[in-house]
Amino acid sequence: YVNWLDVSGAESYFVQYGPAGFPFGSGLVIQTIASNATLTGLNPCVDYEVYIASYCGVDSVSIYRGPFTF
């Protein structure tokens, strides 16, 4: 489970995650309207990284922020 502060004007968020060091663009992606997401399929013995971007309308996606490691 990850959460973050709401972004003013954001319609939804994209969360991309995978094992630490995964090539960006090849991770699992979740789109959520809430400022949180439940990450599934995690192994307790693996370090993971997560990137988060906000979606503010057609053709308006922020730069992904991260990686945040856990």
Side-chain angles (χ1 to χ4, degrees), residues 19-41:
F22 76 95
F24 185 78
S26 67
L28 298 171
V29 177
I30 298 171
Q31 185 174 10
T32 178
I33 58 172
S35 57
N36 61 63
T38 299
L39 309 180
T40 60

Side-chain angles (χ1 to χ4, degrees), residues 13-27:
Y13 302 92
F14 291 102
V15 179
Q16 183 174 164
Y17 67 99
F22 76 95
F24 185 78
S26 67

Side-chain angles (χ1 to χ4, degrees), residues 8-64:
S8 177
E11 294 177 11
S12 64
Y13 302 92
F14 291 102
V15 179
Q16 183 174 164
Y17 67 99
F22 76 95
F24 185 78
S26 67
L28 298 171
V29 177
I30 298 171
Q31 185 174 10
T32 178
I33 58 172
S35 57
N36 61 63
T38 299
L39 309 180
T40 60
L42 303 180
N43 181 330
C45 299
V46 174
D47 291 334
Y48 289 91
E49 292 177 343
V50 63
Y51 295 83
I52 302 168
S54 58
Y55 175 78
C56 299
V58 177
D59 297 326
S60 183
V61 176
S62 73
I63 295 171
Y64 274 87

